[in-house]
Every structure is written in C-alpha cells, then in structure tokens.
Amino acid sequence: MRAYILRRLMLMIPTLLGIMVINFFVIQAAPGGPVEQAIAQLQGRGDVTSRFTSGGNETTAPSQQPTSGSEQPNLSRGGRGLPPELIERIRKQYGFDKPIGERFIQMMGGYLVFDLGESFFRNARVSELVISKMPVSVSLGLWTTLLVYLISIPLGIGKAVRDGSRFDVVSSSFVIVGNAIPSFLFALLLVVLFAGGSYWKIFPLRGIVSDDWRMLSWPALAADYAWHMFLPITAMVVSGFATLTMLTKNSFLEEIGKQYVLTARAKGLVEWRVLYGHVFRNAMLIVIAGFPAAFIGVLFTGSLLIEVIFSLDGMGLLGFEAAIGRDYPVMFGTLWTLGLLGLAVGLIGDLIYMLVDPRIDFETRGS
C-alpha cells in the first residue's frame, strides 16, 4: 500500500502541472486582463493614478509578483490619453514586462512552496484570502454531503427492498424531480418563497451568521448558523440526493439476488440480519468509499452559484469575483488549492475502499 500511495503522490505533480498549464495559457486569450482593468480604473478615478505616479511609493499598489496576464495587451484604446511611461509602469507593476513562459515558471515556483502571491486588487496575500474563505465552502460541502448520504442510503435501501411497490414508484418521482432541477434554480425558488423574494421572509438571504454573532452564546450561535445555512444546504441536497439514491438501490438489488443471500435466508436468518449483516457491507462498498469524491464534487461544481446567490463568502464567490475582476493571482491560487484538494481527496477515497473491504490489496496494482 505504501508503494501505491507513493505512486499516487508522484502522479499528483504532473496532474497539477497539466491543470495549471492549460488554464494559464487559455486565460491569456481572454480580453480585458489586469492591465486593462487598472487602466480603466485610472481613467475613471483620478486618485488611483497617484499609486503609480507618487515617486515610487507603491505600497498600496497591487502585487509586483508576475503571476499571469496577457503577453502584450493591446492598450491602444484602453490606454488612450495616458502617458506611455505610465502604461509601461502599469505593465511592469503587474509583471507583464516579462515573457509569458517566465511568468508561468515564476508562478509555479512560488506554488511549490505554497506561496500563492498577492492579489492585484485586494491588497492582501492570496493564501490569506483562500484560508479565510475555505471554512465556508468546506462546511457547505461537508454538511451537504453528509445530509445527502443520510437521506440517500436509507431511501435507496427502502426502494430496493420494496422494488416495484407503491413506495418505490412514489419515491422515484421525487428522485426524478430532484435530478431534473439544478441546485441554483431550486435555490432561486427558495429565495422567492422563504427569503423575502415575493412571499415569506423566514430565512436570511445572505451570510452564514448574523452581524452580532460575536455576542451570541455557543448554543445561540449554532442555531443562528443553522438558520442561515438551511436554504443553501437544502438547495444543494435536493439536487444531489437523486444519483446516490439510485446507486444505493441498484447496489442492493444486485447483491440481494446473489447466492450467498439465498443461502442466508435458507438458514432461517431474519430479513434485517440478512440485509444489514450480509448485504449491506458488500452493497455499500462503492457508496461509502465514494464519499470523498462526492464531497469534492459538491465543493467544485455545486457551491459556486449557491455562494453567489446567498452571498456566502467562500471559495466559490472568491473565484467568481476574481474572474470578473481579472484578479489572476486569486484565480490561479484558488484553482491550485482546489486542484490539490481534489487530488488528495481522491487518494483518500481509494484508501477508504481498503478500509471498507480489506480484500482490496493496493500492493498488487500495477504501476
């Protein structure tokens, strides 16, 4: 198993490198990079110019780390009316005076030592931003995944045991509806109904805690947190339980028809012992071991729009605002962090397979 873990850890390096290379060079083709954004700010607010013209005092200017951007941005229109030396100083400030390959190598050199650079427009280090936003996204993804499993596994087992019954048919209609409605669309419906959109204002629309959360006791703070997170978690759970429910049902149906189950029943074992003493362990192998992958799937794909809709200050909202504002260090820093987290969670998923079923031997896997 140690050899397998070592191989997986070594494989993370080219995988992460491939992710960063593709995204880095694709983003170079996007118009309106950080230099153009800075020029727009300079033309719209005269006081911003003082950051670049105040005799070399650049303490409040964006980071000098050459993280990314267009190779040679076309400033003929955006920079019209600005002195050429000011434009060149802006390019140097953001690191665009260096070749694109050199910028990428310097960026990756910092990432190898977990130095994510500084934000262009937030006057803060990217690592600090990521660390401050991570708990929101992790808690959202973790609670959603836990609730999805707590709902889907009993429901899937019930559907398998009562396959073809009225319960199976009725519950399948809810599964189909949950699978058909995207989480962001259901979130908008919840906002309209319960967050003061058009009907009732039962739940808050933004944030994970109230403004006076520091004054609350621990029980009151937990209740306030649950009150704020109820709608976003509900939106993600409703759209996420369908697939796992059907996976659980199909796994149980496959195991129930096997010979060892028939033998256990022939020996006179009660049904609950057959199901939970024999079938459950084999049927739940793929379901339980898939927990890390389900969590990272929620974190990657489900939380972005939910964080935007409910103004949850997490990684999804941070990356979205960075993409809109062309804050490249934040964009690539969040991508690097989530990519690393995804690969690590994938390795944990493989190890859970071994814990659930010790018959799996990683040492016999080929390189």
Side-chain angles (χ1 to χ4, degrees):
M1 185 176 66
R2 292 180 180 178
Y4 173 75
I5 294 176
L6 181 60
R7 288 196 300 268
R8 285 293 300 270
L9 292 176
M10 296 299 295
L11 185 61
M12 288 183 183
I13 298 175
T15 303
L16 272 176
L17 182 61
I19 292 173
M20 299 307 299
V21 167
I22 293 174
N23 285 274
F24 182 87
F25 288 97
V26 166
I27 289 177
Q28 308 310 305
V35 174
E36 289 87 342
Q37 294 285 334
I39 289 176
Q41 291 181 3
L42 292 174
Q43 292 178 326
R45 294 187 300 167
D47 60 329
V48 182
T49 312
S50 61
R51 296 187 306 170
F52 300 95
T53 59
S54 57
N57 183 11
E58 299 172 0
T59 56
T60 60
S63 168
Q64 297 186 22
Q65 178 173 342
T67 307
S68 56
S70 302
E71 176 65 20
Q72 292 292 340
N74 184 3
L75 306 177
S76 58
R77 302 177 102 191
R80 185 175 300 167
L82 295 179
E85 59 272 13
L86 176 58
I87 296 176
E88 184 60 29
R89 188 169 185 181
I90 294 174
R91 295 185 67 251
K92 185 176 181 180
Q93 183 73 23
Y94 290 109
F96 300 125
D97 58 324
K98 296 181 175 62
I100 185 173
E102 183 178 344
R103 296 200 305 271
F104 178 76
I105 292 174
Q106 185 168 350
M107 181 185 76
M108 294 305 300
Y111 284 3
L112 292 178
V113 293
F114 297 97
D115 180 9
L116 305 183
E118 296 186 13
S119 169
F120 283 163
F121 306 114
R122 292 174 179 260
N123 292 324
R125 296 196 63 79
V126 177
S127 57
E128 296 174 356
L129 293 173
V130 170
I131 291 173
S132 65
K133 312 300 183 184
M134 183 69 76
V136 176
S137 297
V138 170
S139 63
L140 184 62
L142 186 60
W143 285 117
T144 299
T145 308
L146 286 174
L147 289 175
V148 165
Y149 268 71
L150 289 176
I151 294 172
S152 299
I153 291 179
L155 180 60
I157 295 175
K159 288 173 64 63
V161 174
R162 301 173 180 85
D163 184 39
S165 66
R166 180 177 298 179
F167 171 80
D168 184 34
V169 174
V170 173
S171 60
S172 293
S173 62
F174 289 99
V175 170
I176 293 173
V177 171
N179 190 46
I181 300 179
S183 59
F184 75 91
L185 189 60
F186 191 71
L188 293 176
L189 177 63
L190 293 178
V191 169
V192 171
L193 292 178
F194 303 112
S198 298
Y199 295 92
W200 305 281
K201 187 173 178 55
I202 302 176
F203 297 96
L205 181 58
R206 61 183 65 247
I208 61 172
V209 289
S210 300
D211 294 335
D212 59 344
W213 66 272
R214 296 181 183 274
M215 303 174 60
L216 301 177
S217 61
W218 281 108
L221 181 59
D224 183 71
Y225 171 80
W227 181 49
H228 281 77
M229 296 292 284
F230 182 83
L231 291 186
I233 290 179
T234 300
M236 298 182 68
V237 168
V238 168
S239 63
F241 82 101
T243 301
L244 185 60
T245 298
M246 298 309 299
L247 177 63
T248 303
K249 176 187 175 181
N250 294 333
S251 297
F252 257 76
L253 285 177
E254 181 180 357
E255 293 295 325
I256 287 175
K258 291 185 176 180
Q259 184 63 40
Y260 75 91
V261 177
L262 299 177
T263 303
R265 286 172 174 170
K267 290 181 177 180
L269 295 179
V270 293
E271 188 66 16
W272 69 267
R273 188 171 182 180
V274 172
L275 291 176
Y276 294 98
H278 294 77
V279 177
F280 185 84
R281 179 177 178 180
N282 294 322
M284 289 295 99
L285 174 61
I286 188 173
V287 175
I288 296 176
F291 183 89
F295 167 71
I296 204 65
V298 171
L299 194 63
F300 269 112
T301 61
S303 63
L304 170 57
L305 292 177
I306 296 299
E307 290 182 12
V308 173
I309 292 173
F310 291 99
S311 298
L312 301 176
D313 197 12
M315 290 281 289
L317 185 59
L318 176 66
F320 174 78
E321 292 177 346
I324 295 298
R326 298 296 192 270
D327 196 344
Y328 286 173
V330 177
M331 290 174 59
F332 290 121
T334 55
L335 179 65
W336 171 267
T337 303
L338 291 176
L340 186 60
L341 180 62
L343 293 173
V345 169
L347 176 59
I348 294 174
D350 280 351
L351 298 181
I352 290 180
Y353 272 106
M354 187 201 66
L355 295 177
V356 175
D357 188 352
R359 293 173 297 178
I360 297 177
D361 184 10
F362 290 111
E363 296 293 345
T364 62
R365 293 195 176 189
S367 58

